[in-house]
Amino acid sequence: MYHSKINGLGYYVPENVVTNDDLSKIMDTSDEWIQERTGIKERRHIIRGQDTTTSMGVKAAKIAIERSGLTTDEIDFIVFATISPDYYFPGPGVALQQELGLRTVGALDIRNQCSGFIYALSVADQFIKTGMYKNVLVVASELQSIGLDMTNRGRSVSVIFGDGAGAVVLSREEDITKGILSTHLHSEGEHAKELAVLAPGMGGRWVTDIIAENNPDDESYYPYMNGQFVFKNAVVRFSEVINEGLKANNLEVSDIDMLIPHQANLRISQFIQQRFKLSDDQVFNNIQKYGNTTAASIPIALTEAWEQGRIKEGDTIVLAAFGSGFTWASAIIKW
Ligand code: ACO
């Protein structure tokens, strides 16, 4: 039995900064409304033709691989989480495999929305624990901006989301007191339609901006979110799954050196911080700069926290996510 540890990590966000004031020029919204409810000041949107879900994932992955000190020949498997794939099929895992020249290693696509990265990390962890693979590349990338309804109709959803990617290399760790200690995954399909893109249904086509343009009156091509219902469920499930992870490892809240919550909404993170009585040093948020990048938000935040020296060897790190599905998950890591 082995453990797995994060051996390299990286992120990429497009250069194009879209502020709240920029959005208020194309829809009836304001910097004040957005900041008060979500904490978001700005987000990144791709420039069309410059980036795709795959290309952002590749850029983040290259940094993670370089920092791991491994060569691409040593990567045994790819797990790619996204809700915004470049094609309906195949998923972006294979495109990343080709772009990075990763021989013919397997590529698994995960679609668990905002919980996608923790689900992907958990899958990779199981492959390493069983001894099947030694080094697994875990990537999460989201290109939200071209699929959002940038009119007044979609404003309560569109102001929240941003584009970006994060990646980690997960490697075998012989010391079982280190690395990923446990992961906890959940879902509740009963609430699937509270945060979803419902089109296209059976026999339909994949949603792209072109389809949306051709169906301007059909709201089902754009994300729908029952915001207050999502908020209420998020704070309950975040709390539960953090407690579940702590309990499974006989840890107390005071043992948490750093909580990295999925960057859904700053108000949700602050609520969790207060509920667990965590200090500002114990929670990392960067939604103010990037908006909600769905599956990519945790690896982007994890990488930034690490780059800022806020994660040190021996720290107990808690990752926690909640999102569409509903799905929610946590990971407890000894760094
Ligand atoms: N700018 C200005 N006004 C707006 C905007 C906007 N962007 N969007 C909606 N409004 C208006 C509405 O039309 C409404 O006006 P009315 O009162 O005249 O009808 C008013 O603001 C209030 O609208 P609500 O939808 O009730 O706004 P609410 O206060 O619930 O805030 C929000 C919306 C921020 C989404 C909130 O429900 C929330 O934080 N939900 C949590 C869900 C979340 O954060 N999801 C993140 C993504 S999902 C995930 O990652 C898990």
Side-chain angles (χ1 to χ4, degrees):
M1 181 80 170
Y2 303 104
H3 264 199
S4 69
K5 68 161 188 241
I6 292 175
N7 197 17
L9 65 178
Y11 77 94
Y12 168 81
V13 288
E15 277 174 25
N16 179 34
V17 176
V18 177
T19 65
N20 294 342
D21 286 337
D22 292 333
L23 292 181
S24 69
K25 288 176 194 137
I26 52 173
M27 60 179 87
D28 288 339
T29 191
S30 65
D31 181 46
E32 192 192 358
W33 192 98
I34 298 170
Q35 282 212 49
E36 190 183 307
R37 286 170 178 76
T38 70
I40 298 165
K41 297 181 202 287
E42 57 190 39
R43 73 287 291 139
R44 306 297 176 94
H45 285 178
I46 60 127
I47 304 279
R48 279 169 194 261
Q50 282 186 11
D51 263 317
T52 63
T53 296
T54 302
S55 75
M56 289 191 289
V58 166
K59 287 171 187 165
K62 279 184 175 166
I63 298 168
I65 294 170
E66 198 192 323
R67 286 175 171 166
S68 74
L70 298 172
T71 64
T72 48
D73 282 349
E74 293 171 279
I75 302 292
D76 302 315
F77 194 64
I78 300 160
V79 188
F80 198 129
T82 189
I83 59 162
S84 47
D86 297 323
Y87 313 126
Y88 182 44
F89 71 82
V94 295
L96 178 118
Q97 176 268 329
Q98 191 238 328
E99 289 278 326
L100 289 176
L102 294 180
R103 310 174 316 281
T104 57
V105 303
L108 174 68
D109 294 291
I110 298 262
R111 37 173 312 170
N112 281 85
Q113 301 73 246
C114 298
S115 308
F117 178 74
I118 299 182
Y119 269 72
L121 197 69
S122 181
V123 169
D125 180 44
Q126 311 314 313
F127 276 126
I128 291 175
K129 273 188 177 141
T130 59
M132 181 157 171
Y133 296 128
K134 210 168 169 187
N135 302 299
V136 179
L137 177 61
V138 181
V139 181
S141 180
E142 301 287 4
L143 200 175
Q144 317 273 17
S145 56
I146 62 169
L148 297 170
D149 181 356
M150 290 295 183
T151 68
N152 284 352
R153 189 180 63 184
R155 64 184 177 169
S156 64
V157 172
S158 304
V159 299
I160 295 174
F161 292 96
D163 301 336
V168 302
V169 175
L170 208 62
S171 295
R172 183 184 291 176
E173 168 63 61
E174 313 259 341
D175 180 350
I176 60 161
T177 65
K178 286 188 178 162
I180 295 182
L181 303 182
S182 64
T183 53
H184 308 268
L185 313 178
H186 295 279
S187 71
E188 194 174 31
E190 183 189 344
H191 301 313
K193 291 184 179 170
E194 305 297 341
L195 177 49
V197 175
L198 296 180
M202 292 291 288
R205 291 169 60 196
W206 184 234
V207 61
T208 68
D209 52 336
I210 297 160
I211 299 177
E213 265 169 37
N214 290 334
N215 296 276
D217 300 323
D218 188 347
E219 290 181 50
S220 61
Y221 283 98
Y222 294 110
Y224 164 78
M225 177 173 68
N226 181 347
Q228 290 170 14
F229 188 78
V230 170
F231 197 108
K232 284 180 201 149
N233 279 266
V235 294
V236 171
R237 297 308 193 184
F238 263 115
S239 303
E240 277 177 13
V241 82
I242 293 168
N243 278 327
E244 182 182 350
L246 292 175
K247 196 169 165 215
N249 296 287
N250 291 318
L251 295 170
E252 304 290 333
V253 172
S254 56
D255 294 318
I256 300 176
D257 292 301
M258 182 60 81
L259 167 66
I260 302 199
H262 160 55
Q263 301 292 291
N265 181 318
L266 191 60
R267 306 298 160 234
I268 294 177
S269 295
Q270 289 168 334
F271 192 96
I272 299 304
Q273 179 175 345
Q274 279 164 15
R275 179 171 280 187
F276 283 88
K277 299 194 172 57
L278 296 169
S279 69
D280 289 348
D281 288 345
Q282 289 171 286
V283 185
F284 190 84
N285 290 304
N286 62 3
I287 190 171
Q288 301 92 325
K289 293 189 294 180
Y290 304 130
N292 177 335
T293 57
T294 311
S297 90
I298 290 179
I300 292 175
L302 182 67
T303 304
E304 275 206 347
W306 177 80
E307 287 176 350
Q308 292 171 17
R310 292 185 59 184
I311 295 178
K312 297 175 294 302
E313 180 142 14
D315 278 357
T316 299
I317 311 296
V318 177
L319 311 181
F322 174 86
S324 161
F326 292 150
T327 59
W328 58 102
S330 67
I332 313 292
I333 302 173
K334 195 82 175 161
W335 200 265

